Amino acid sequence: MIDPEAVRGRIATFLRLQPGKAVDGAVLTDLVTESFVLVQLVIDLQEEFGIRLSGEGLREVRTVGDLITTVTSRA
Amino acid sequence: MIHENELWILSFYRRSEISGALFFGRLAQTVRAGPIQRDLTKHFSDESLHAWYWTDCIEKLGSKPIALDHSYQDQYIEAAGLPGNIMEILAITQVFEKRVIGQYALHRALPGLPPEVEATLQRIMQDEKWHIQWVGDALVSLESEYGKEHIAKTIERCAAADRKVYEKTLDEHSGRLEALIAQRRNREKR
């Protein structure tokens, strides 16, 4: 089972966010300057947590909370 | 000095090569060590070099690159959705690389091409063939993990997104290319 806080921590570290910025409601596209960084983040989360995501599964992902739920539900 | 339309197009190519380099550089940093990481790193290096070739070419033609704020790739995620894994990224890459080589071939066939542009296109197109080759091989190597049919469907979906982006984004590009062709033909008639 993947700890949701570990995923949040990884997202915050990867995106170099200040503490408290990786809250559930934060919109991912607002946290990055270009969308390619999100592609890199998705690959990083897969490598880190040993899961496989798909574009289909990410279609509804808009916020940090959505991404954490998607990652933890893949375990 | 080169014509404004040609300068815009060459600057657009340069900007797209820079976007590609940044993208593959980031990926090469993130994916696990192995053959895909190795080829991604080479791909990153090629795209950087191509951006340099275009910069050099524009300077040799007596101009300076225009700073463009968008590239072809920027529209991809919007049209195809966020790729979720390395197979989906490679599928988009394959479709995109085919588009690039087609676009460069089209440009190369223009009448009255400056020798500097001709040489740059020729040099880059050699590398693009390898890009299509390695990405194709990598996709084949992922068949056991993702399934051949699923990969084929993903490529199909990316190709549909590519057509959408091409129609939308390259309106200005195509207009400038057509203007350039017309200008060259008029010059030849005289």
Side-chain angles (χ1 to χ4, degrees):
Chain A
M1 184 157 169
I2 300 172
D3 176 11
E5 289 313 306
V7 181
R8 189 187 310 281
R10 188 74 189 180
I11 294 170
T13 305
F14 192 89
L15 298 180
R16 295 179 185 165
L17 301 177
Q18 288 174 347
K21 285 277 182 190
V23 292
D24 280 351
V27 176
L28 287 163
T29 48
D30 292 344
L31 299 175
V32 296
T33 48
E34 46 186 52
S35 47
F36 282 161
V37 177
L38 291 179
V39 179
Q40 197 190 359
L41 171 65
V42 165
I43 298 298
D44 179 77
L45 292 172
Q46 286 175 88
E47 299 291 344
E48 178 67 16
F49 296 104
I51 51 154
R52 190 205 287 170
L53 300 170
S54 70
E56 188 88 331
L58 292 168
R59 194 163 288 167
E60 303 302 321
V61 171
R62 296 281 176 272
T63 65
V64 168
D66 295 339
L67 186 55
I68 292 172
T69 305
T70 303
V71 170
T72 53
S73 67
R74 292 288 160 151
Chain B
M1 285 292 271
I2 52 174
H3 189 274
E4 183 210 332
N5 285 325
E6 186 142 48
L7 176 61
W8 189 94
I9 291 166
L10 302 188
S11 299
F12 184 79
Y13 292 159
R14 176 183 177 271
R15 174 70 172 83
S16 293
E17 298 288 358
I18 290 173
S19 279
L22 293 171
F23 180 58
F24 290 116
R26 287 195 195 104
L27 274 178
Q29 202 178 10
T30 312
V31 296
R32 80 183 71 135
I36 290 180
Q37 186 199 56
R38 185 182 181 281
D39 287 340
L40 270 176
T41 311
K42 166 81 167 71
H43 200 143
F44 155 57
S45 145
D46 284 352
E47 303 277 314
S48 307
L49 206 53
H50 296 171
W52 152 244
Y53 291 161
W54 283 125
T55 311
D56 188 47
C57 174
I58 292 167
E59 283 181 359
K60 279 179 179 156
L61 291 167
S63 290
K64 284 179 182 170
I66 304 169
L68 298 172
D69 61 358
H70 68 283
S71 68
Y72 193 63
Q73 295 99 316
D74 293 336
Q75 312 298 318
Y76 256 65
I77 292 174
E78 198 184 317
L82 195 66
N85 53 56
I86 194 69
M87 182 277 288
E88 292 178 353
I89 289 170
L90 292 175
I92 290 180
T93 303
Q94 192 185 59
V95 169
F96 175 71
E97 291 293 333
K98 284 183 179 170
R99 172 65 73 195
V100 169
I101 209 162
Q103 190 61 36
Y104 282 168
L106 196 72
H107 195 141
R108 209 175 159 200
L110 289 184
L113 204 61
E116 294 85 353
V117 175
E118 161 75 26
T120 305
L121 285 167
Q122 194 179 352
R123 214 153 42 149
I124 293 178
M125 281 170 78
Q126 280 304 318
D127 292 339
E128 299 296 348
K129 283 179 196 159
W130 178 77
H131 293 169
I132 290 171
Q133 178 68 48
W134 92 257
V135 174
D137 292 346
L139 284 167
V140 169
S141 77
L142 292 172
E143 282 178 2
S144 58
E145 196 180 335
Y146 291 90
K148 195 175 177 175
E149 205 176 313
H150 179 55
I151 293 175
K153 277 187 182 161
T154 306
I155 294 171
E156 220 171 89
R157 189 167 50 80
C158 293
D162 173 73
R163 284 192 290 274
K164 214 188 286 176
V165 174
Y166 190 71
E167 282 166 18
K168 188 179 153 196
T169 317
L170 292 192
D171 264 359
E172 184 171 6
H173 188 282
S174 305
R176 286 180 185 268
L177 207 58
E178 279 161 22
L180 200 61
I181 294 169
Q183 185 207 8
R184 294 252 169 85
R185 287 204 173 123
N186 284 338
R187 203 192 295 160
E188 277 179 355
K189 275 182 203 163
R190 272 185 250 139

